[in-house]
Amino acid sequence: MDENIVTAIGTPNMALIKYWGKREEKLILPMNSSISMTFDETFNTKTSVLFTDRVPEDSFYINGVRQDLSDKDIMERFAIIDIMRRMAGTTSKAVVVSENSFPTAAGLASSASGIAAMVFAANSALKLGLGTKELSIIARQGSGSSCRSLSGGFVKWEMGSKDDGSDSCIRQIAGPGHWSDIIDIVAIVSKSKKKISSRAGMKQTVANSILYKARPAYAERACAEMEEAILKKDFERLGMLMMKDSNNLHAVMLDTYPPILYLNDVSKQIISSVSELNEVENKIVAAYTFDAGPNANIFTLEKYRSKVEELLSNIEGIESTRISKVGNGPRIIDEDASLIDPSTFKIKSG
Ligand code: DP6
């Protein structure tokens, strides 16, 4: 087959209404729809993909480290390469090299940007010509939340109802230019790897949290309201909905046995300080949300930015902050930027 190295850049997404729980494990079908904002390239993953018959086996590198493809976690995510190979009717081996510009596995959705970049690059390398919806269905099977990173702007992952997952795919609610003054201040509280993965954590929550039973129906309604808030650029409504959803998520996590605790004292201080600020201002000027980790995402508008930055600068324990605006989604970049050496088919050194 045609052997060309394709490199793509993907970015994470931050869920405003979260996905937490599967109704089907293998295909990764969620219990409820979710909505996110795709990040700009402040945080990004660059991934180069090559399909070739000239190497004996698949290889996969993340941040310079060769991954063990017999490891269950890695295998489950790499399975999307098999799906795409099958679609292309090839048995060529894959070389995939991925580099993150931010800490992995610390609640910063590194797998989302990595998988989005990988699927986007593989689509081009295998000349599959698939569109966003089809690519989101493939990405979903590697890691659920990653499917939302296949599009820029504000994105809804529709839970779908079909058993084969063909309607569990993404839809863009609004493009990247729709809301240019909304920003996400990412406050890094800890760079360490999370103790329990989202995959394992959500499974336990679905299995034994009493409170979780109310979550899917509520989240579905929250998605409808969130979509309206985004379309109307109603920040107060968006803020209230996202904070309530984050609170609900971490409540059902705590209600799981053994309890799942991702928030630490600094995260809780951020929750209190943001709430106090909104009280003092008598309106919502900032809104927090937390994924499966202690790092905070604080959404605000440009006009309130200095106020929120000042607030955060007074909280002890925040290691650093970075700002993301609404991003454009994945893109293919120049051949020169490739992470694969075209003569050895291995990761480029240096
Ligand atoms: C808290 O997408 O990582 O970030 O589908 O098992 O790979 P798997 O889980 P994953 O879970 C993400 C959970 C979340 C919420 C969200 O992004 O919607």
Side-chain angles (χ1 to χ4, degrees), residues 130-144:
L130 301 170
T132 305
K133 182 181 159 190
E134 286 78 13
L135 292 180
S136 78
I137 289 173
I138 297 169
R140 188 200 75 217
Q141 297 173 65
S143 180

Side-chain angles (χ1 to χ4, degrees), residues 15 18-20 22 77 143-145 148 198-199 202 291:
K18 317 277 190 192
Y19 145 61
W20 193 254
K22 300 176 178 67
R77 284 165 175 78
S143 180
S145 58
R148 298 185 309 243
S198 304
R199 185 156 298 184
M202 66 175 78
D291 273 354

Side-chain angles (χ1 to χ4, degrees), residues 4-29:
N4 58 331
I5 300 170
V6 178
T7 305
I9 285 196
T11 59
N13 66 78
M14 184 42 56
L16 307 172
I17 304 294
K18 317 277 190 192
Y19 145 61
W20 193 254
K22 300 176 178 67
R23 63 178 194 277
E24 207 279 332
E25 302 270 329
K26 180 87 187 31
L27 290 169
I28 306 197
L29 300 175

Side-chain angles (χ1 to χ4, degrees), residues 159-290:
M159 64 178 289
S161 59
K162 293 189 181 153
D163 287 345
D164 67 358
S166 58
D167 58 352
S168 188
C169 58
I170 64 162
R171 170 172 65 79
Q172 188 184 62
I173 294 172
H178 169 69
W179 202 344
S180 52
D181 60 339
I182 193 167
I183 56 170
D184 177 3
I185 307 179
V186 183
I188 311 283
V189 162
S190 163
K191 288 198 203 71
S192 55
K193 209 173 149 89
K194 55 193 171 200
K195 285 187 211 83
I196 172 162
S197 69
S198 304
R199 185 156 298 184
M202 66 175 78
K203 198 170 172 181
Q204 288 174 17
T205 301
V206 175
N208 73 37
S209 159
I210 298 151
L211 299 181
Y212 182 79
K213 293 185 174 46
R215 181 170 165 81
Y218 137 77
E220 224 36 50
R221 286 194 305 275
C223 276
E225 283 189 46
M226 178 59 84
E227 180 161 356
E228 245 180 69
I230 290 167
L231 290 173
K232 288 187 182 145
K233 293 197 263 185
D234 182 343
F235 182 74
E236 289 211 52
R237 194 147 171 233
L238 171 134
M240 181 57 84
L241 286 164
M242 66 184 269
M243 288 189 284
K244 280 189 169 173
D245 187 64
S246 175
N247 294 346
N248 181 273
L249 176 76
H250 291 274
V252 300
M253 287 166 169
L254 180 61
D255 185 48
T256 302
Y257 198 85
I260 303 168
L261 298 160
Y262 289 119
L263 306 181
N264 65 18
D265 287 347
V266 186
S267 322
K268 288 177 198 157
Q269 186 56 54
I270 294 172
I271 295 177
S272 303
S273 299
V274 168
S275 305
E276 273 162 34
L277 175 68
N278 290 333
E279 287 287 317
V280 171
E281 295 288 329
N282 209 14
K283 59 176 185 261
I284 291 172
V285 297
Y288 57 80
T289 187
F290 296 83

